[in-house]
């Protein structure tokens, strides 16, 4: 791993440990500079009241020049939120994780963006192509070229 | 199968013949009817390209530099009209997909909105109505960068991306979002190399400015990130590809790592694809179709027919799989026979039965005037009454054509394999006998010509499958049969044993046959192509583009 990505991640981790995560976000584990886990919940009124989700970040040596791979964890004790931009395997279709990624964005910034994506949800439903996508999806969501549908896609 | 169907090769071909003639023993070459080899050789002494044949399409290969010159012309034109610098003009043109007329119209209408959309300038701060509602942005309180408000000109003390405090060189586009040169270079490299993106946007979140070419080039050069120049090269290639893909007269050579473009204006319309096969070749002699994505030369069949046939083959691949096997049973004694060359004339090792590999009929019928291995007897289909026998008849009909199609593909491969063995033998002969290198080349040329003709023949079966019954189809099948016969004879010669005693006779035979086969191929290609131009061919099914 290059020094840029580890220096950046060390700095982000120090900040999280010193100042804490944004409200509703909790760091579960950050044992290395390859994958970090967070829990995320939506405070205030939303369709996801009382639900807690788990987020996984995977970094490669090109972080933050290219985006981290971010997805909801789907296992025995967690599921992916039902949302028009979240697939049932946890993959997220969000332009900031793809072509609108900016290297100045941080792990916390991504968490907050996903939080507001869930908070503004009007109806709980899966993406229309969920079944087909999940059947052929690569393990790493970064390998998918999502089609971001203009205004409805979350940034 | 990759068929490198090179007409310009013929020049070499005849040049070599000339070499052979001057080698001494070829001056009494029998003239093959109207095909006089000596006069041909004379023709080709003139250092000019042979005139374009009627079935060849006019086209021009363009080097990357030549395309860049076309781009520069457009850029200069726009730069002059708008009074902007070249790199701005280039960004505007790319944004408008190189449509100059549309760009001029839009720009005259509202220069600033076009400039913002193209990433040339930031939205004017005086007008608060940017474009549409502001997108939801992240992390209000914790952001480290300053967004819509202008950044103070002073350089940041530390780069907000890498936090590397040893960085001293900072760069920003006209938006003043400043980052260190290492981060810029890494970002530009990643966009160009990983994403194949030529429009590299500012790294600040939500900033839509696009880095002008001089910024990209100088950042790569000054950062030391691109020592071998590969990223710069790739950037240039991406720009050219973008220009080419926006222009229907141009096509990028599909061969891996080739950077040639071909200009072929007469094949740029869809309707032209029903009257000709736009086989073109790039400056590196890669042959490809300007009209479709089929990766081999599909002459003499036009693109819509070729595509329909390939789709049919894909859909029916399971039914036809058994045909591809290399072994069959002798129809007389049932012993297993393996095919190990291109020739279809098989002789059973056990019972000496001679038969045709394709139709399994006795070979004796193939050498005579009523040779009809290529034709499908349509009567069976007409007599079929019930649905089941109808569908059996239609499967049989398909298999007839598919079988021959697949066989040519396979034979071409097998003859190349066989040739590789032969070549070894001939190299040995060069050492053990008095033959020169030039003298053993006739085999190579013959194998190449046979491969070429098999590629043509292969596609004639796709064509015949869709041709409507009638006189025209019969004439087409006459040409097909004549070429089949000629190629079979040549293939058979190529499989004959080689020894120093008989080699000069063999060479004469093979050379004559090669010339004849090339002529038959020519006739078929020309007649089929004329037929398309004259709209002579009628189909038994609706074909895209034909009425
Ligand atoms: Zn930096
Ligand atoms: Zn900017
Ligand atoms: Zn090429
Ligand atoms: Zn084509
Ligand atoms: Zn036998
Ligand atoms: Zn036959």
């Amino acid at each position: 791993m290059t020094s840029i990505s580890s220096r950046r991640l060390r700095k982000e981790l120090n900040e999280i440990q010193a100042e804490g995560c944004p409200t509703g976000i909790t760091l579960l584990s950050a044992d290395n500079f390859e994958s970090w886990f967070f829990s995320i919940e939506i405070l205030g009124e939303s369709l996801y009241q009382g639900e807690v989700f788990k987020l996984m970040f995977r970094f490669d040596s090109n972080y933050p020049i290219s985006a981290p791979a971010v997805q909801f964890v789907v296992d025995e004790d967690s599921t992916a939120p039902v949302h028009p931009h979240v697939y049932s395997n946890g993959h997220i279709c969000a332009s900031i994780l793809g072509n609108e990624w900016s290297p100045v964005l941080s792990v916390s910034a991504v968490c907050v963006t996903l939080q507001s994506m869930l908070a503004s949800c009007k109806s709980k439903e899966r993406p229309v192509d969920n079944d087909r996508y999940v059947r052929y999806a690569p393990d790493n969501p970064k390998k998918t070229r999502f089609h971001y549908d203009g205004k409805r896609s979350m940034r | 199968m990759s068929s490198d169907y090179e007409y310009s090769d013929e020049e070499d071909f005849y040049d070599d013949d000339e070499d052979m003639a001057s080698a001494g023993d070829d001056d009494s070459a029998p003239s093959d009817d109207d095909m006089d080899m000596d006069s041909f050789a004379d023709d080709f002494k003139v250092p000019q390209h042979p005139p374009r044949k009627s079935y060849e399409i006019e086209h021009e290969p363009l080097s990357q530099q030549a395309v860049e010159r076309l781009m520069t012309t457009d850029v200069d034109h726009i730069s002059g009209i708008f009074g902007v610098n070249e790199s701005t003009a280039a960004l505007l043109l790319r944004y408008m997909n190189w449509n100059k007329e549309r760009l001029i119209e839009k720009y005259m209408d509202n220069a600033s909105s076009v400039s913002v959309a193209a990433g040339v300038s930031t939205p004017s701060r005086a007008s608060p109505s940017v474009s549409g509602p502001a997108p939801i942005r992240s992390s209000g309180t914790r952001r480290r960068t300053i967004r819509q408000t202008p950044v103070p000109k002073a350089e940041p003390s530390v780069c907000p991306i890498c936090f590397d405090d040893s960085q001293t060189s900072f760069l920003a586009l006209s938006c003043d979002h400043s980052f260190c040169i290492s981060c810029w270079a890494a970002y530009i490299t990643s966009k160009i190399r990983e994403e194949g993106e030529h429009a590299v946007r500012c790294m600040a979140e939500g900033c839509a400015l696009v880095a002008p070419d001089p910024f990209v080039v100088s950042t790569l050069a000054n950062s030391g990130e691109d020592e071998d120049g590969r990223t710069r090269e790739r950037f240039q290639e991406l720009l050219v590809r973008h220009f080419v893909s926006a222009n229907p007269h141009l096509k990028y050579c599909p061969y891996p790592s080739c950077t040639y473009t071909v200009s072929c204006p007469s094949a740029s319309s869809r309707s032209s694809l029903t009257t000709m096969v736009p086989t073109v070749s790039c400056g590196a002699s890669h042959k490809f179709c300007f009209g479709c994505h089929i990766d081999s030369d599909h002459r003499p069949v036009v693109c819509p027919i070729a595509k329909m046939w390939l789709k049919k083959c894909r859909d029916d691949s399971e039914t036809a799989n058994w045909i591809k096997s290399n072994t069959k049973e002798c129809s007389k004694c049932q012993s297993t026979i393996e095919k190990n060359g291109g020739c279809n004339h098989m002789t059973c090792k056990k019972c000496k039965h001679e038969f045709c590999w394709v139709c399994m009929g006795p070979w004796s019928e193939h050498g005579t005037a009523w040779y009809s291995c290529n034709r499908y007897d349509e009567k069976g289909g007409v007599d079929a009454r019930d649905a089941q026998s109808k569908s059996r008849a239609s499967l049989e009909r398909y298999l007839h054509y598919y079988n021959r199609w697949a066989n040519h593909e396979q034979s071409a491969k097998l003859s190349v394999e066989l040739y590789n063995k032969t070549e070894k033998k001939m190299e040995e002969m060069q050492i053990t006998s008095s033959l020169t290198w030039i003298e053993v080349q006739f085999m190579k040329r013959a194998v190449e010509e046979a491969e070429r003709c098999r590629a043509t023949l292969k596609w004639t079966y796709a064509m015949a499958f869709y041709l409507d019954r009638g006189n025209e189809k019969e004439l087409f099948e006459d040409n097909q049969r004549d070429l089949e016969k000629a190629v079979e004879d040549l293939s058979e010669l190529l499989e004959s044993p080689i020894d120093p005693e008989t080699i000069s006779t063999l060479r004469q035979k093979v050379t004559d046959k090669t010339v004849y086969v090339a002529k038959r191929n020519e006739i078929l290609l020309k007649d089929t192509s004329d037929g398309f131009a004259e709209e002579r061919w009628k189909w038994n099914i609706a074909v895209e583009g034909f009425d």
Side-chain angles (χ1 to χ4, degrees):
Chain A
M1 193 168 275
T2 66
S3 55
I4 288 200
S5 78
S6 44
R7 183 187 302 112
R8 242 300 278 266
L9 287 168
R10 188 180 310 282
K11 160 133 180 123
E12 289 191 39
L13 191 57
N14 286 344
E15 260 174 46
I16 287 171
Q17 281 160 350
E19 302 166 28
C21 288
T23 356
I25 314 282
T26 314
L27 176 65
L28 298 176
S29 72
D31 302 333
N32 51 43
F33 292 147
E34 271 148 42
S35 47
W36 293 2
F37 292 86
F38 293 85
S39 74
I40 173 169
E41 57 190 307
I42 317 307
L43 303 167
E45 252 180 61
S46 84
L47 298 178
Y48 303 94
Q49 226 144 10
E51 293 183 71
V52 182
F53 307 102
K54 202 167 153 186
L55 272 177
M56 172 168 75
F57 282 72
R58 279 183 280 177
F59 310 100
D60 60 26
S61 60
N62 215 13
Y63 179 81
I65 296 302
S66 77
V70 185
Q71 68 180 97
F72 288 100
V73 174
V74 177
D75 59 18
E76 303 87 70
D77 18 63
S78 10
T79 59
V82 179
H83 183 281
H85 290 301
V86 180
Y87 292 92
S88 55
N89 65 351
H91 289 194
I92 307 160
C93 171
S95 53
I96 66 150
L97 298 174
N99 62 352
E100 284 187 19
W101 168 255
S102 152
V104 302
L105 287 169
S106 62
V107 171
S108 298
V110 170
C111 288
V112 172
T113 306
L114 294 178
Q115 222 175 10
S116 67
M117 174 185 97
L118 295 178
S120 63
C121 181
K122 299 277 190 307
S123 75
K124 278 182 147 188
E125 50 192 39
R126 287 283 179 221
V128 274
D129 60 337
N130 185 68
D131 293 349
R132 207 183 27 158
Y133 174 75
V134 170
R135 200 173 321 141
Y136 301 110
D139 166 58
N140 188 326
K142 273 190 82 182
K143 296 218 168 72
T144 303
R145 282 220 167 200
F146 286 109
H147 175 75
Y148 310 105
D149 49 343
K151 290 203 178 74
R152 279 195 298 121
S153 78
M154 298 304 303
R155 316 261 175 158
Chain B
M1 194 190 69
S2 77
S3 51
D4 245 15
Y5 202 144
E6 265 306 319
Y7 277 97
S8 53
D9 274 1
E10 284 182 15
E11 206 173 344
D12 302 336
F13 180 86
Y14 290 109
D15 278 352
D16 285 351
D17 266 336
E18 202 192 323
D19 286 336
M20 297 209 327
S22 60
D25 58 3
D26 208 24
D27 34 24
S28 62
S31 311
D32 203 350
D33 306 340
D34 45 23
M35 189 91 160
D36 186 77
M37 292 205 2
D38 284 334
S39 73
F40 256 90
D42 281 333
D43 284 345
F44 282 96
K45 271 175 193 156
V46 184
Q48 271 175 2
H49 281 289
R52 189 162 52 86
K53 298 182 177 115
S54 68
Y55 54 85
E56 288 175 320
I57 189 163
E58 197 169 357
H59 64 277
E60 185 192 359
L62 301 173
S63 67
Q64 181 158 319
Q65 290 73 22
V67 179
E68 281 164 8
R69 281 196 292 276
L70 294 177
M71 294 165 72
T72 309
T73 310
D74 283 2
V75 167
D76 288 346
H77 179 66
I78 289 299
S79 158
I81 295 179
F82 294 176
V84 296
N85 62 27
E86 284 85 9
S87 60
T88 302
L91 291 183
L92 291 169
L93 276 164
R94 280 177 222 154
Y95 167 69
M96 215 50 101
N97 263 316
W98 296 91
N99 187 332
K100 280 176 290 189
E101 291 70 33
R102 222 174 105 79
L103 173 60
I104 292 168
E105 186 189 310
K106 293 264 167 193
Y107 196 83
M108 294 308 175
D109 185 42
N110 189 341
S112 71
S113 85
V114 173
S115 302
V116 169
V120 166
S121 60
T122 45
S124 141
R125 281 166 206 111
S127 64
S129 60
V130 184
S131 54
I136 304 152
R137 294 288 169 204
S138 55
S139 60
T141 51
R142 299 172 46 79
R143 66 175 36 265
R144 302 186 184 87
T145 48
I146 304 156
R147 253 182 315 154
Q148 307 292 358
T149 49
V151 176
K153 280 278 179 201
E155 283 170 356
S157 52
V158 64
C159 170
I161 290 170
C162 63
F163 294 99
D164 181 350
D165 44 26
S166 66
Q167 291 289 346
T168 52
S169 177
F170 287 80
L171 303 170
L173 302 178
S174 62
C175 54
D176 285 334
H177 295 133
S178 191
F179 306 99
C180 80
I181 188 169
S182 301
C183 284
W184 269 115
Y187 184 69
I188 289 170
T189 305
S190 162
K191 285 283 168 192
I192 292 171
R193 298 286 285 271
E194 311 301 325
E195 295 175 35
E197 180 61 76
H198 60 80
V200 181
R201 291 202 316 207
C202 171
M203 292 193 284
E205 188 201 350
C207 183
L209 276 197
V210 176
D213 299 357
F215 183 91
V216 171
V217 170
S218 68
T219 304
L220 287 174
N222 298 336
S223 65
E225 175 93 8
D226 187 32
E227 274 180 339
D228 57 5
R230 295 266 309 278
T231 308
R232 162 87 213 261
E233 219 171 80
R234 176 87 176 120
F235 179 59
Q236 213 52 43
E237 187 192 318
L238 288 170
L239 295 179
V240 168
R241 278 177 182 267
H242 180 251
F243 177 79
V244 168
S245 70
N247 188 332
H249 294 181
L250 302 177
K251 220 167 188 179
Y252 211 76
C253 175
Y255 281 71
S257 77
C258 183
T259 57
Y260 271 102
T261 295
V262 170
S263 164
C264 185
S266 49
S268 60
S269 79
R270 241 177 139 63
S271 59
S272 65
L273 298 181
T274 58
T275 55
M276 60 176 171
V277 187
T279 305
V280 296
S281 69
C282 81
S285 300
H286 300 135
K287 224 146 216 170
F288 63 95
C289 180
F290 198 89
C292 70
H293 295 289
I294 296 172
D295 63 358
S296 64
D297 180 358
H298 59 74
R299 279 183 294 189
V301 182
V302 290
C303 306
I305 299 273
K307 282 193 279 189
M308 247 166 57
W309 171 255
L310 288 182
K311 184 176 182 306
K312 168 121 189 105
C313 294
R314 268 197 307 278
D315 295 349
D316 291 323
S317 61
E318 272 169 45
T319 338
N321 255 349
W322 59 274
I323 287 170
K324 295 209 167 170
S325 119
N326 263 3
T327 55
K328 280 182 186 172
E329 275 176 10
C330 167
S331 53
K332 257 197 174 154
C333 73
Q334 272 75 47
S335 65
T336 304
I337 294 166
E338 193 185 358
K339 193 169 192 279
N340 51 14
C343 178
N344 289 324
H345 179 184
M346 307 302 289
T347 305
C348 174
K349 282 205 178 89
K350 213 168 165 195
C351 74
K352 306 292 174 217
H353 174 52
E354 290 182 55
F355 63 97
C356 164
W357 176 263
V358 180
C359 64
M360 301 302 282
W363 188 257
S364 50
E365 287 172 14
H366 283 66
T368 59
W370 55 86
Y371 176 81
S372 63
C373 182
N374 64 322
R375 278 174 224 261
Y376 179 71
D377 180 9
E378 304 265 7
K379 278 190 229 103
V382 179
D383 294 343
R385 295 221 171 82
D386 56 303
Q388 202 195 345
S389 51
K390 265 202 182 104
S391 91
R392 195 185 314 122
S394 103
L395 177 65
E396 245 171 56
R397 182 176 183 277
Y398 166 65
L399 287 177
H400 168 89
Y401 292 102
Y402 180 78
N403 194 349
R404 280 148 186 82
W405 151 277
N407 186 59
H408 277 297
E409 193 162 87
Q410 191 190 31
S411 294
K413 271 183 210 140
L414 290 171
S415 34
V416 170
E417 275 170 35
L418 184 79
Y419 171 68
N420 291 338
K421 283 183 214 146
T422 313
E423 195 180 30
K424 272 212 189 80
K425 203 167 163 190
M426 307 213 31
E427 276 167 12
E428 285 163 21
M429 279 170 48
Q430 230 190 108
I431 302 163
T432 57
S433 73
S434 59
L435 290 169
T436 65
W437 184 81
I438 292 283
E439 286 171 306
V440 295
Q441 289 307 297
F442 72 95
M443 275 297 225
K444 186 174 165 58
R445 280 198 306 275
V447 169
E448 281 165 3
E449 191 58 54
E451 201 188 341
R452 222 169 268 177
C453 293
R454 287 195 187 278
T456 307
L457 279 169
K458 186 178 101 165
W459 284 103
T460 61
Y461 287 103
M463 172 120 173
F465 180 75
Y466 293 114
L467 267 182
D468 210 6
R469 275 192 281 171
N471 281 344
E472 296 303 341
K473 181 171 186 176
E474 281 186 22
L475 290 172
F476 179 79
E477 286 178 328
D478 286 347
N479 281 331
Q480 184 188 42
R481 175 202 57 210
D482 292 347
L483 182 58
E484 277 281 7
K485 178 97 178 58
V487 172
E488 278 315 318
D489 289 349
L490 180 61
S491 288
E492 194 153 5
L493 272 180
L494 291 176
E495 286 171 31
S496 45
I498 294 174
D499 65 82
E501 314 293 287
T502 57
I503 189 147
S504 69
T505 336
L506 179 64
R507 192 177 74 203
Q508 191 59 59
K509 278 193 201 158
V510 167
T511 309
D512 292 350
K513 228 2 155 200
T514 308
V515 171
Y516 178 69
V517 156
K519 184 182 132 196
R520 295 281 10 147
N521 191 29
E522 191 91 332
I523 290 170
L524 192 151
L525 288 173
K526 184 177 181 313
D527 183 67
T528 313
S529 151
D530 291 350
F532 280 114
E534 296 158 9
E535 299 179 31
R536 202 199 307 148
W537 308 122
K538 301 288 172 246
W539 312 106
N540 55 24
I541 188 173
V543 181
E544 180 197 336
F546 291 83
D547 350 291

